[in-house]
Amino acid sequence: MPEMKNPLELYKLLNKSNCKKCMLPSCMAFSVAVIQGRKKISDCPELDEQTVEALSGRVATRASFEDEQRERLNNLKQEVARIDFVSVSDRIGGAAVKGGLAVNCLGKDFVIDAAGELTSECHKNLWVHVPLLNYIIHGTGKTLSGHWVPFNELQGAKDWSRFFSHRCEEDMKQLADAHTELFFEILSLFGAQPVGGMDADHSLTVYPLPKVPFMINYWEPEQGFESKLNILLDRVSPDNLAIGSIYLLGRGLVEMFRALIIRHNRDGKLF
Ligand code: SF4
């Protein structure tokens, strides 16, 4: 039997019920997780034993995106060690503090020390740490234009827009659908400000980084209409943070919200 390297090959063999018993939101997310080595075939209880046995030997896991980002993080830590925090603080909207550089992320200070390590009272994750170091090292500090556009209209977004749509907007929508009240409470704890003049039920801006704001628009489900969520960005965002890192930042938000929802939701379940 040939090796299975593409998540779509596995997806075709699942029942596509999106029942979430594997603790992931969909059969597609499960297929990707298996190929990335984050889940085992046997984690889907809907597959019978024979199928699990037959498929397990065929999966060719590849270095996960997380592994690649970990390597990237180590390189960025070495680069940040050469940065003079006092000279970059104005450009990035941060402040040099004792022991490092403070950058306001979602209304809370995240402090980077000379070794590139991150300290914060917030939930920290790889998806935030990599963009934050990139922002400090490579951001140009361009003034925001006030012109909001969808991710796919940002310069250089072509290769990333599908990922942003699936892993940031769609995943965030699922959290908002399943835990609407808690989701918006968390956003408000993170300093989200309401925006007027939009046609969504909820329109809020948050600042994951001082010069890379996100506008989150959410339409609640109505009779005959599904819910909808989109994220708009300032047109100059790619000058302040590389486009791939804007995608990571979006994922960082989703991971952070997910961790908080699991912690604070009464039954401790995500869906
Ligand atoms: S448990 Fe299996 S069938 Fe259910 S969502 Fe996960 S992969 Fe799909």
Side-chain angles (χ1 to χ4, degrees):
M1 289 283 240
E3 277 192 331
M4 192 160 25
K5 295 180 183 164
N6 185 333
L8 280 176
E9 286 179 70
L10 174 56
Y11 178 70
K12 282 183 200 155
L13 304 170
L14 300 173
N15 68 14
K16 304 174 192 64
S17 62
N18 299 331
C19 69
K20 305 180 180 72
K21 288 181 193 162
C22 56
M23 304 302 286
L24 287 176
S26 65
C27 295
M28 179 51 93
F30 177 78
S31 307
V32 172
V34 169
I35 298 295
Q36 289 182 341
R38 290 183 285 117
K39 285 273 179 191
K40 296 195 290 287
I41 299 261
S42 54
D43 290 334
C44 169
E46 297 297 303
L47 290 171
D48 61 50
E49 238 175 80
Q50 276 176 323
T51 313
V52 169
E53 208 174 300
L55 295 180
S56 296
R58 290 186 54 205
V59 174
T61 54
R62 58 180 181 232
S64 72
F65 193 62
E66 280 90 340
D67 289 339
E68 286 169 22
Q69 294 311 316
R70 259 181 219 105
E71 199 182 324
R72 212 158 147 230
L73 181 60
N74 289 335
N75 294 336
L76 288 167
K77 283 180 179 172
Q78 286 170 18
E79 276 188 72
V80 97
R82 296 191 284 273
I83 296 252
D84 171 19
F85 287 156
V86 174
S87 68
V88 300
S89 58
D90 274 354
R91 165 170 60 81
I92 61 156
V97 293
K98 192 168 173 237
L101 177 64
V103 180
N104 199 283
C105 181
L106 297 168
K108 320 274 178 203
D109 273 347
F110 280 58
V111 178
I112 293 286
D113 68 18
E117 297 300 340
L118 179 60
T119 320
S120 163
E121 62 181 83
C122 277
H123 177 81
K124 295 170 286 180
N125 63 48
L126 187 67
W127 313 103
V128 171
H129 202 164
V130 170
L132 184 49
L133 293 190
N134 247 326
Y135 177 75
I136 293 170
I137 300 166
H138 302 293
T140 67
K142 197 156 182 175
T143 305
L144 296 173
S145 69
H147 186 173
W148 296 95
V149 293
F151 182 87
N152 64 2
E153 287 183 24
L154 293 176
Q155 195 173 15
K158 191 167 161 274
D159 292 341
W160 291 97
S161 61
R162 201 162 49 92
F163 296 106
F164 191 84
S165 161
H166 283 290
R167 305 305 303 273
C168 303
E169 291 173 313
E170 181 56 35
D171 283 5
M172 198 180 281
K173 181 181 91 70
Q174 287 182 2
L175 295 177
D177 287 347
H179 306 278
T180 310
E181 201 178 324
L182 185 52
F183 177 80
F184 286 102
E185 266 174 37
I186 290 171
L187 274 175
S188 122
L189 277 176
F190 283 149
Q193 293 296 320
V195 187
M198 306 298 287
D199 72 349
D201 296 317
H202 306 264
S203 290
L204 300 153
T205 46
V206 280
Y207 283 74
L209 288 172
K211 296 192 174 182
V212 189
F214 282 27
M215 185 196 291
I216 299 169
N217 295 303
Y218 178 66
W219 291 258
E220 292 185 11
E222 271 183 63
Q223 232 178 2
F225 292 97
E226 283 191 9
S227 63
K228 198 170 99 181
L229 184 147
N230 71 22
I231 299 174
L232 302 181
L233 295 124
D234 192 284
R235 188 174 282 290
V236 303
S237 299
D239 291 297
N240 296 333
L241 186 65
I243 195 80
S245 274
I246 296 177
Y247 159 69
L248 290 183
L249 196 57
R251 277 198 66 177
L253 287 195
V254 172
E255 296 301 330
M256 222 186 250
F257 294 163
R258 188 175 277 143
L260 286 166
I261 285 171
I262 289 173
R263 197 182 313 156
H264 295 291
N265 191 28
R266 267 181 227 108
D267 60 7
K269 283 188 188 153
L270 197 49
F271 295 104

